[in-house]
Every structure is written in C-alpha cells, then in structure tokens.
Amino acid sequence: MTEQKWLTRFIFLESVAGVPGMVGGMLRHLRSLRRMKRDNGWIETLLEEAYNERMHLLTFLKLAEPGWFMRLMVLGAQGVFFNGFFISYLLSPRICHRFVGYLEEEAVITYTRAIQEIESGKLPAWEKTEAPEIAVQYWKMPEGQRSMKDLLLYVRADEAKHREVNHTLGNLNQAADPNPYAAKYKDPTKPHPNKGIANLKSTGWEREEVI
C-alpha cells in the first residue's frame, strides 16, 4: 500500500461512512414530525456523526484529488448503500446501528494499520506531510502535532467513538429510550456516556448502565 492507495481507500471509506448517520437522523426526524413528538435527542447525535464523517472526507480530499473512475465508484456505492440502508433502517434500526458499529470497527482497524505503516517507515512521504488547514481548524490541532500520523490519530479516535455510539444505540429500545449522549446524569462522578473519549467502550454501553 502506497500513500496514494491509502488515500484512495480513506476517501472511498469516508464517502460511504457519512451515509448511515444522515439516513438515521433523517428518518427519525420525519418520524418525529409525523408523530408530533420529541425524538429524545437521537437526531442531533446521528447528524453530528454524518457531519464528522464528511469532515474526514473533505480533509482527505485536500491531500488527493480522485479521478473520474473513483468518483463513479463512489456514486454507485453511495446510491446502492443509501437505498439499502434506508430500507433496512425502516425495518430494524437496532440491526442497522449494530452493523454501523462493526463498520466503524473496520475503520478503526484500517487507520490503525496506516498509522503502524507510518511508524515503521513504509510511508516515507507522509513523514513530512502536515495536516491540511481544514483539519487543523476542525480538530484544533496544536502546534507541533500536525503531522499525517497525528491526523490519522484524530480520525481514528472519531471512528472509535462512532463505534461506541452505534453499539450503544443498538442496545437501546429504539422507540422509547432517550439518547444517553444527550442526557444529563444525576451523579456526574460515575462513568457514563459522553461526547468525548474519556469513558470509551468499544462494545458500547449496555441499556442497564444508561437507563
């Protein structure tokens, strides 16, 4: 795997990874409108996830410009995946969140392997490559920590969080339970889900822990 091949993989991965959050947020938004009831905080988290994945894509696009074949592949994959996920989410949101949790696990593995290749010297061009300005502004990357490896560490942390969030949502009652990432807890000293990675759980939080 060369630097260019890794970027191609990242771009394709992120162009697909931005779909589930948008589909889930859209369907829950429409459901809330139809029922004329609140959504218990799920919509915001799902749309935040979609936005975060899009920022990953925009960042990598600053490092590589895909050709027409790659764009065609993304178009086809997105069309198939969007419609398939749309129908699947209507049938079983729980299974969809579980699937996305596993998808994010694969993303974590992908970025881990890329980081390991940088560390082992197999990607020499990236040893001198700095993160694009869009990434510096988005993650507020400090001076001296703006290398390609640092960028991939930030992206991997995001993917690990998405993995936890989707596994957690998959453990909940889809129709009735509130979003634990938007809830306020009576005892803030006890570990609980949050938007950071302080209490990260790779398999998600069980329903009994958050409800």
Side-chain angles (χ1 to χ4, degrees):
M1 290 286 284
T2 63
E3 292 89 346
Q4 186 61 41
K5 287 182 177 179
W6 273 116
L7 284 174
T8 299
R9 184 169 182 173
F10 295 159
I11 289 171
F12 188 82
L13 175 68
E14 298 298 347
S15 68
V16 173
V19 171
M22 180 58 66
V23 172
M26 176 185 67
L27 288 176
R28 293 192 70 95
H29 172 73
L30 295 175
R31 180 173 177 269
S32 177
L33 295 179
R34 289 195 307 273
R35 299 182 65 207
M36 300 182 186
K37 291 183 179 180
R38 300 188 64 176
D39 186 64
N40 292 324
W42 287 54
I43 296 171
E44 290 81 358
T45 293
L46 293 173
L47 294 183
E48 284 175 4
E49 179 179 312
Y51 176 78
N52 179 255
E53 299 286 12
R54 188 173 67 89
M55 289 304 297
H56 293 175
L57 175 63
L58 294 177
T59 296
F60 292 127
L61 287 174
K62 291 294 183 179
L63 299 170
E65 185 67 27
W68 66 268
F69 179 74
M70 179 63 178
R71 292 178 182 275
L72 189 63
M73 290 292 290
V74 168
L75 179 64
Q78 191 179 89
V80 172
F81 186 55
F82 178 92
N83 288 289
F85 196 83
F86 181 92
I87 295 172
S88 299
Y89 204 91
L90 289 173
L91 298 175
S92 179
R94 183 190 301 275
I95 292 177
C96 286
H97 285 298
R98 188 70 66 203
F99 167 75
V100 175
Y102 292 129
L103 187 67
E104 299 293 358
E105 173 66 23
E106 289 301 314
V108 171
I109 293 172
T110 293
Y111 289 114
T112 297
R113 288 176 177 169
I115 291 168
Q116 290 173 342
E117 291 206 359
I118 293 175
E119 293 174 337
S120 63
K122 295 180 180 179
L123 302 172
W126 279 358
E127 293 178 7
K128 299 179 181 179
T129 301
E130 289 201 356
E133 185 61 25
I134 187 174
V136 173
Q137 296 297 324
Y138 180 67
W139 283 288
K140 297 180 174 56
M141 300 172 72
E143 288 281 353
Q145 298 180 30
R146 298 176 179 177
S147 67
M148 190 64 185
K149 176 184 172 182
D150 293 321
L151 172 61
L152 296 187
L153 288 170
Y154 277 98
V155 174
R156 184 179 66 173
D158 287 345
E159 304 294 5
K161 190 62 184 183
H162 297 327
R163 173 186 61 188
E164 180 204 79
V165 169
N166 279 280
H167 279 312
T168 300
L169 296 181
N171 292 334
L172 303 179
N173 182 318
Q174 305 296 298
D177 288 344
N179 175 13
Y181 295 92
K184 293 183 178 180
Y185 293 86
K186 294 181 180 179
D187 186 357
T189 62
K190 290 184 178 180
H192 59 78
N194 56 55
K195 293 187 177 182
I197 58 173
N199 300 321
L200 196 65
K201 286 193 174 187
S202 60
T203 57
W205 295 77
E206 296 298 328
R207 186 173 187 269
E208 295 74 17
E209 296 178 294
V210 297
I211 300 299

